Amino acid sequence: MVFCHYSGRRTYWAFLLLLIPLFGFSDHLHGSEQRTQSSYSLLVLGDSLSAGYGLEQQQGWVSLLQNLWYNEGIQIDVINAAISGETSDGALARLPRLLEQHRPSHVLIELGGNDGLQGHPVTKLKSNLIQIVNLAQAAGAEVFLQDMQIPTNYGRRYTQMFADAYDEVARVQNVPLLPFFLESVALNPELMQNDGIHPNAQAQPQIAEFMRQQLTPLIVE
């Protein structure tokens, strides 16, 4: 693993996992086999960081988060709509169908890593994120934006613009910006798969607990 530092943000090569295709994706993934009738539902619109590359479906942090909530008696249904390799363009195209199909009360946007790795214009990324926020809000959902990071070898100017994009979108759209959830995981080789790139099964509960702490007070007021 190679770790780079720039403007107080840890960046690292773990984002390479976003480009590896993940098969067997389903829009209907839930963390528990028994789905409740809940007033809350969270749609996770993301890439392989949320799709759980290299893991069984029930091992990923999204499924574990669902189980944490169920075990606490918190009735929040989770729909995992994450796809490995997803870009903001692809997610924007898929979102209307997902919103119509699932009608979530809340949407978590975990996107942009692939846009950055592929050198897409930051202005295009910001535009897509804003459109995604607007579509979700128009459908009656509350929206959360996940902060993302890319390696600094894409150049100081581009890396800074990418980092700033999330703060700007969150501010302009007035949505909560969640800290990047692999900030500490990728720094610990014991929490990574053998390739040194992907978070392993042992890391997933830590990610799930981090997201539980971030999301619960935002959803259950």
Side-chain angles (χ1 to χ4, degrees):
M1 294 277 301
V2 177
F3 300 96
C4 305
H5 297 269
Y6 179 70
S7 299
R9 290 174 177 262
R10 270 188 206 123
T11 55
Y12 40 80
W13 293 106
F15 274 101
L16 292 177
L17 68 93
L18 300 173
L19 296 177
I20 300 178
L22 177 64
F23 300 100
F25 163 78
S26 170
D27 288 346
H28 305 280
L29 171 60
H30 293 271
S32 171
E33 293 180 358
Q34 183 177 3
R35 191 174 193 274
T36 64
Q37 295 298 319
S38 172
S39 58
Y40 300 116
S41 56
L42 174 67
L43 177 72
V44 179
L45 187 67
D47 48 43
S48 60
L49 292 179
S50 297
Y53 174 80
L55 305 173
E56 296 294 329
Q57 178 172 299
Q58 68 272 15
Q59 293 179 307
W61 75 262
V62 177
S63 291
L64 296 178
L65 174 62
Q66 175 75 97
N67 292 337
L68 286 175
W69 278 332
Y70 279 0
N71 292 337
E72 294 178 357
I74 299 175
Q75 300 302 305
I76 304 174
D77 291 326
V78 183
I79 305 105
N80 193 349
I83 299 178
S84 181
E86 183 68 293
T87 63
S88 62
D89 283 323
L92 178 59
R94 289 193 299 123
L95 185 58
R97 177 180 63 83
L98 292 168
L99 293 172
E100 181 178 2
Q101 179 180 0
H102 299 289
R103 302 188 182 278
S105 61
H106 298 77
V107 174
L108 171 65
I109 303 170
E110 184 269 296
L111 294 164
N114 288 306
D115 296 67
L117 289 176
Q118 296 172 23
H120 293 183
V122 173
T123 54
K124 179 62 172 176
L125 170 62
K126 289 169 58 177
S127 175
N128 286 344
L129 292 176
I130 288 172
Q131 291 181 71
I132 289 171
V133 172
N134 288 338
L135 283 173
Q137 291 178 335
E142 294 187 36
V143 179
F144 314 124
L145 181 62
Q146 182 79 59
D147 197 14
M148 303 295 286
Q149 300 177 10
I150 59 171
T152 55
N153 66 305
Y154 283 80
R156 180 171 179 171
R157 180 173 179 273
Y158 184 85
T159 302
Q160 187 63 55
M161 289 174 60
F162 182 91
D164 292 343
Y166 291 86
D167 294 319
E168 294 170 8
V169 171
R171 183 179 66 254
V172 170
Q173 297 300 107
N174 193 28
V175 298
L177 179 64
L178 278 59
F180 185 48
F181 54 19
L182 295 188
E183 186 71 29
S184 61
V185 169
L187 297 174
N188 185 349
E190 294 183 358
L191 297 179
M192 304 301 290
Q193 295 185 33
N194 291 334
D195 58 11
I197 296 173
H198 306 88
N200 60 24
Q202 184 180 349
Q204 302 302 311
Q206 180 174 321
I207 300 170
E209 174 59 25
F210 176 81
M211 295 304 289
R212 184 193 67 81
Q213 294 177 17
Q214 296 291 322
L215 290 169
T216 302
L218 293 174
I219 298 176
V220 183
E221 299 176 355

